[in-house]
Structures are given as structure tokens and as C-alpha cells.
Amino acid sequence: MSYGQGGPQWTPGGSNTPDWDALAADAERRRRRRRTTVIIGSAAAAAVIGTAVALAVVSQSGDDSPTDQASATLPEPTDVPSGSAGAEPTWRDVSLPPLPQPREFISDADKDTAPFDAETFWGGEDMEIDGRTYTRAATGPAGDCAEAASDALGAVLAEHGCTALLRATFTGGGVAVTVGVAQFGTEEDAQAAREAQQGAQGASLQPLTGDGAPAFCGQGGCRTTANQVGRYAYYTIAGNADGSPDSGEGTPAQQAARDGNDHAFNRIIQRGEAQASASADALVEERRRGD
């Protein structure tokens, strides 16, 4: 028996009894071929359907990416309205007037109202200038400006209206120095007294002795200075603490006279600073209460 495509064949004159085993095998082969065909067809159909769905999605979304599409759907930002053209904010004025300067107080009797007495004015016990220290030995006011000065200086002070003169004597390093500060009604009076003193022979401050201050300058050879700031003139006289005359350059007595000059100036300026500070505090408090 031969087998061709399409199933078993019977030859003429042969037996008419079919070969059941061959037929069964042939039927099984046909079933397997149909099953394979169905599977392949199903897969192809699924592929076609998937392609169609993908094409539909692409056609709906267009050329934009998902991110771009989302951005395109956001609302436009709302513009924040700006202020009117040219309008500027206004602020309450909280500035203070210019603060008073120390010089204003030591130059104007109407502002320079702090007590002018020896203890308050001279402050601490010591005088220290550039590392040189002198101990305060005596202080005192003059009942009359002229009595604390030589005759020549006394006349100058009286002529130009000296109202008070404070003295203090300091000692250290074998020397003593008396520092005197004279107060006048105006800055012009103090300037005039300073100029007159320069041209007056023997116009100098008298030493303040006693109460722990040694007697000095009794034999001459003393060192003196004179100066002025604001409505104050200030003077010094210095000498050896043992009373001996002083001479030469760069002596301790000469240095003491210069140090006393600087100390007087510093004390006058500090007087102005204290009053200027108090005035500034009062201005701030007044503004605070006004607010």
C-alpha cells in the first residue's frame, strides 16, 4: 500500500477492507495541522488588533508627547496687578534731629548748665597721661578768680568776665602740678582772655598747696602752660615737689605741666560729652512719647 498526499489510497484489485490504523494516524495528523493553524491565526489576529489599537491611540494623541500635552492644558498664569504708575510707599518720619555735639555745650552758657564744682569736674583721684600717673593731692574752687592767679593773670581774668576757677594739684615722680580751669560767660570772652594772657608779663596760675599738696614754686623755676577751648581757659604751673627751681629741657616738671594741660582739656571735653549724651537721651525719650 502506498500513501500519497490527501490520505490513504486503495489500489484496484486490492482488498476493500480499510486499514484502520492508517486511517487513525492520518486523522491525528490532520487534527494537529488544524490546531497549529488555529493557534497561528489567533496570534496573527491578536497582533492585528494590537496594532489597530496602537494606531488609534497615536492618532488621538497627535505628535505631542504626554508631557507636552499636559503642559498645553494648564491655564495661563494670572498677571498680578501692579501698583499705580508713579505711586511710592509713604513712611512715617521716625528720624531724630541731629544729635548735639559736645562742643555746643562747652561753648554756650545756655546749654552748659551742669554743676561746675571741683569734685564733680575733676572726677577720679588720679591724673594719667600716656602711662604717667599723678595722684590728686588737693582740690578747691577760688572764691574769686583773681585770688587763684598772679596779679597779671588776675587782672586779665577779671577784665574778661571769669565767673569761676577750679584748681587741683597732682603729685608724682618728685614733682607737683596745679591745674586750673576758668569759666567765662561766652567763648569769645575765653578767647579774649587767652590772647590777653599771652601778652601779659608774669601772667600765671598760683599753685594750690596744703591738704597733702607740697609747697612748690616758692623759689621760682616753675613751668607753666595756658590754653583755651569753648568758654573755658585752662592753665598749669609745675615744679619740683621739694621746692627747688627747675630748669632745662625735658625735665619731669616740664612734662608735668604739659600733662596737666592735656588733663584739663580732657576734663572739659568730657563735661561737654556728658551733657550732649544726656540731651540725646532726652530727645529719644521725647520722640518715643510722641509716638
Side-chain angles (χ1 to χ4, degrees):
M1 180 178 60
S2 65
Y3 294 96
Q5 187 173 357
Q9 301 293 324
W10 292 274
T11 61
S15 176
N16 291 327
T17 302
D19 187 346
W20 298 112
D21 291 336
L23 291 174
D26 185 65
E28 179 63 26
R29 282 195 299 271
R30 286 197 299 271
R31 282 195 299 271
R32 284 200 297 268
R33 283 199 299 268
R34 284 197 300 271
R35 188 182 303 115
T36 302
T37 301
V38 171
I39 293 173
I40 293 173
S42 299
V48 171
I49 294 171
T51 301
V53 172
L55 290 174
V57 171
V58 170
S59 65
Q60 290 178 0
S61 61
D63 293 334
D64 294 335
S65 66
T67 300
D68 293 339
Q69 182 66 23
S71 299
T73 60
L74 291 175
E76 293 294 329
T78 303
D79 292 334
V80 178
S82 59
S84 302
E88 295 182 358
T90 58
W91 307 96
R92 182 171 57 88
D93 183 15
V94 295
S95 61
L96 290 172
L99 295 178
Q101 299 300 310
R103 183 64 183 264
E104 298 177 31
F105 288 85
I106 61 174
S107 302
D108 186 347
D110 290 337
K111 296 181 178 180
D112 187 19
T113 58
F116 187 59
D117 59 76
E119 286 301 318
T120 301
F121 182 81
W122 296 115
E125 295 293 323
D126 296 334
M127 175 177 76
E128 185 171 345
I129 304 293
D130 294 336
R132 294 178 293 276
T133 301
Y134 305 83
T135 301
R136 192 174 73 180
T139 61
D144 182 274
C145 293
E147 72 178 38
S150 66
D151 291 343
L153 180 58
V156 169
L157 296 176
E159 179 182 355
H160 294 284
C162 175
T163 57
L165 195 155
L166 306 178
R167 288 184 296 171
T169 296
F170 301 88
T171 61
V175 298
V177 55
T178 295
V179 184
V181 177
Q183 186 184 72
F184 294 84
T186 66
E187 183 174 11
E188 292 72 22
D189 291 337
Q191 291 173 340
R194 171 71 183 96
E195 293 170 0
Q197 183 269 336
Q198 289 178 312
Q201 186 69 25
S204 64
L205 188 69
Q206 288 285 85
L208 175 65
T209 61
D211 295 330
F216 63 103
C217 290
Q219 302 179 36
C222 289
R223 304 306 181 97
T224 64
T225 67
N227 222 315
Q228 173 268 331
V229 61
R231 67 187 190 115
Y232 296 89
Y234 50 103
Y235 313 91
T236 68
I237 183 168
N240 295 326
D242 61 5
S244 62
D246 187 73
S247 62
E249 292 297 320
T251 66
Q254 186 182 52
Q255 185 64 60
R258 293 171 179 170
D259 289 344
N261 178 84
D262 292 346
H263 186 62
F265 174 80
N266 291 340
R267 295 307 302 168
I268 295 169
I269 295 301
Q270 288 172 14
R271 174 182 174 85
E273 289 175 344
Q275 294 182 94
S277 177
S279 178
D281 290 344
L283 286 173
V284 172
E285 179 63 18
E286 180 180 355
R287 176 58 61 89
R288 186 188 67 80
R289 290 180 177 179
D291 292 341

